């Protein structure tokens, strides 16, 4: 282990392999928190821009368990495994529930030959008419069992690892409940999701150990930092900074033309500053405004219509505004938990 990684460091667990791991590392890099791993075969790393924070790599499901028992302070994994394994003691707190990658859904899927089963109500009727209890193979027995019970369906849950899609074909289960992304794997194995059988919609989330936040000043500081960077980056990722030169009488006059004749408004409004030109009689001003990426073409046309030229569009890394609501929610939840204790 690297000599800079000690048990006293704050620890954050990230997915160890697969698409989720790749997307997670890319997300950290985009947020300006690149993970430095000296040896790709090692299961620890550092984040140079977060001194005193070490990174561990684990399976997504194990991340939840590690955060729950306090062996790590933070983790990033799918909301599906968090919901399945977080337990009822409140030790696992979800600090950010929408990191924007790892999207999927947990869904019930039946064989294509079950033409009479299109919805959960159809499944309930079929299950009630079966000679033996309905067998459902799943990696999510807690979520699946709860959903089926609420639907009035008695079933035998068969815990399974690895590939579930072959379970009905092999014969050790009648149907499955598993994570679905595109649905192609289900179709390849002649399975079909129920139209209303989505148990949970999931994406990557940031979780933390409650006691760590309460007892370690460094942990609470790290939580604030992570949320600040994540929120600022996510807010900026859909925006562009637009710069344009416009001839006009004054900054106020140009701003008024933008308000009156354009649909774009920026965060609070345009920034207008004078451009120093060689010809003294030329009144040129530079306009800076933040717009949505989806509005770029409309923005360019509107700026041209009011005399804009030399329009430059640049990506934005961060937009830091007021303290993120998720930080306030975290502090409120911690205070509430202390009150109950």
């Amino acid at each position: 282990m690297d000599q800079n990684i000690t048990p006293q460091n704050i620890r954050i667990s990230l997915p160890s392999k697969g698409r989720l791991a790749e997307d997670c590392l890319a997300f950290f890099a985009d947020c300006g928190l690149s993970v430095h791993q000296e040896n790709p075969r090692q299961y620890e790393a550092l984040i140079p821009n977060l001194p005193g924070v070490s990174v561990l790599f684990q399976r997504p499901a194990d991340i939840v368990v590690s955060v729950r028992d306090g062996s790590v302070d933070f983790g990033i994994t799918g909301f599906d495994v968090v919901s399945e394994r977080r337990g009822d003691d409140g030790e696992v707190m979800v600090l950010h529930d929408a990191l924007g990658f790892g999207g999927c859904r947990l869904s019930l899927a039946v064989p294509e030959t079950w033409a009479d089963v299109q919805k959960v109500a159809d499944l309930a009727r079929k299950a009630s008419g079966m000679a033996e209890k309905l067998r459902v193979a799943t990696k999510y027995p807690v979520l699946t069992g709860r959903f089926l019970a609420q639907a009035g369906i008695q079933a035998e849950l068969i815990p399974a690892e690895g590939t579930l899609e072959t379970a009905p074909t092999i014969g050790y289960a009648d149907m499955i409940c598993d994570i679905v992304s595109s649905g192609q794997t289900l179709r390849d194995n002649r399975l079909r999701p129920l139209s209303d059988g989505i148990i949970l919609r999931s994406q990557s989330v940031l979780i933390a150990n409650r006691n760590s936040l309460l007892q370690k000043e460094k942990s609470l500081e790290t939580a604030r930092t992570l949320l600040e960077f994540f929120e600022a980056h996510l807010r900026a990722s859909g925006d562009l900074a637009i710069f344009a030169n416009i001839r006009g009488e004054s900054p106020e006059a140009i701003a008024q033309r933008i308000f009156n004749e354009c649909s774009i408004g920026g965060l609070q409004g345009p920034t207008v500053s004078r451009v120093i030109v060689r010809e003294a009689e030329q009144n040129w001003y530079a306009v800076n405004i933040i717009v949505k990426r989806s509005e770029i073409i409309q923005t360019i046309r509107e700026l041209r219509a009011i005399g804009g030229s030399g329009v430059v569009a640049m990506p934005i890394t961060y937009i830091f505004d007021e303290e993120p609501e998720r930080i306030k929610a975290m502090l409120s939840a911690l205070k509430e938990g202390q009150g109950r204790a």
Side-chain angles (χ1 to χ4, degrees):
M1 179 178 292
D2 190 289
Q3 62 180 358
N4 293 321
I5 299 178
T6 69
Q8 288 73 39
N9 281 356
I10 297 300
R11 292 182 168 186
I12 179 169
S13 282
L14 305 181
S16 58
K17 60 181 63 177
R19 177 65 180 274
L20 188 61
E22 296 172 2
D23 290 347
C24 187
L25 291 178
F27 176 75
F28 266 70
D30 290 342
C31 289
L33 302 172
S34 295
V35 176
H36 176 65
Q37 189 177 15
E38 290 187 359
N39 187 333
R41 292 186 295 274
Q42 289 181 328
Y43 284 90
E44 64 263 349
L46 295 172
I47 302 176
N49 286 343
L50 287 179
V53 176
S54 60
V55 175
L56 301 179
F57 295 100
Q58 296 181 286
R59 296 190 312 166
D62 293 340
I63 291 173
V64 185
V65 177
S66 295
V67 171
R68 190 180 69 208
D69 66 25
S71 57
V72 300
D73 306 281
F74 300 94
I76 289 185
T77 187
F79 185 62
D80 54 319
V81 292
V82 173
S83 300
E84 177 70 20
R85 295 174 176 254
R86 70 190 301 176
D88 300 321
D89 58 7
E91 280 304 300
V92 177
M93 294 182 62
V94 177
L95 303 186
H96 200 301
D97 61 352
L99 296 181
F101 62 94
C104 60
R105 61 190 185 276
L106 178 63
S107 182
L108 298 172
V110 301
E112 290 180 347
T113 55
W114 290 13
D116 58 336
V117 179
Q118 300 292 327
K119 295 185 176 182
V120 173
D122 301 328
L123 180 64
R125 284 191 291 270
K126 186 174 184 67
S128 65
M130 297 176 69
E132 298 182 357
K133 189 175 291 186
L134 178 69
R135 299 169 300 163
V136 183
T138 184
K139 302 174 187 175
Y140 300 85
V142 173
L143 296 174
T144 304
R146 185 183 304 152
F147 183 88
L148 293 175
Q150 291 174 348
I153 300 173
Q154 293 188 350
E156 177 187 356
L157 298 178
I158 302 175
E161 296 296 334
T163 303
L164 295 184
E165 288 82 7
T166 59
T169 301
I170 295 174
Y172 71 85
D174 300 305
M175 58 176 289
I176 71 170
C177 181
D178 199 13
I179 289 298
V180 178
S181 295
S182 67
Q184 186 59 50
T185 304
L186 290 181
R187 291 189 290 273
D188 290 343
N189 289 275
R190 300 189 179 281
L191 296 174
R192 170 174 43 80
L194 298 183
S195 61
D196 59 350
I198 297 176
I199 294 177
L200 182 76
R201 295 188 184 277
S202 176
Q203 63 177 295
S204 295
V205 300
L206 170 66
I207 59 176
N209 178 274
R210 179 184 294 272
N211 277 336
S212 175
L213 294 174
L214 288 172
Q215 298 172 9
K216 299 180 185 179
E217 182 178 347
K218 177 66 174 177
S219 184
L220 190 59
E221 175 190 336
T222 301
R224 284 178 172 273
T225 300
L226 290 173
L227 288 173
E228 285 279 12
F229 274 98
F230 290 176
E231 290 283 75
H233 170 66
L234 288 170
R235 183 176 183 187
S237 62
D239 293 339
L240 293 170
I242 303 297
F243 300 86
N245 289 334
I246 299 179
R247 185 184 286 110
E249 300 76 26
S250 67
E252 292 76 14
I254 291 175
Q256 197 59 51
R257 282 157 62 186
I258 292 175
F259 291 141
N260 291 342
E261 303 176 41
C262 300
S263 60
I264 53 177
L267 297 178
Q268 279 81 35
T271 299
V272 184
S273 57
R274 185 169 188 121
V275 177
I276 306 301
V277 296
R278 295 179 183 277
E279 299 82 4
E281 70 276 7
Q282 297 290 327
N283 291 326
W284 282 97
Y285 293 88
V287 173
N288 173 214
I289 196 166
I290 306 299
V291 303
K292 296 294 182 184
R293 284 178 179 268
S294 59
E295 300 172 354
I296 179 62
I297 297 301
Q298 176 185 349
T299 298
I300 292 173
R301 289 171 178 168
E302 291 183 351
L303 287 174
R304 284 173 175 167
I306 62 172
S309 63
V311 181
V312 176
M314 299 179 62
I316 307 171
T317 302
Y318 307 113
I319 296 179
F320 290 100
D321 206 340
E322 298 178 359
E323 185 176 59
E325 288 298 322
R326 285 185 169 92
I327 291 182
K328 298 176 184 178
M330 173 187 68
L331 297 176
S332 176
L334 290 172
K335 184 177 180 180
E336 181 181 343
Q338 284 183 304
R340 287 198 301 266

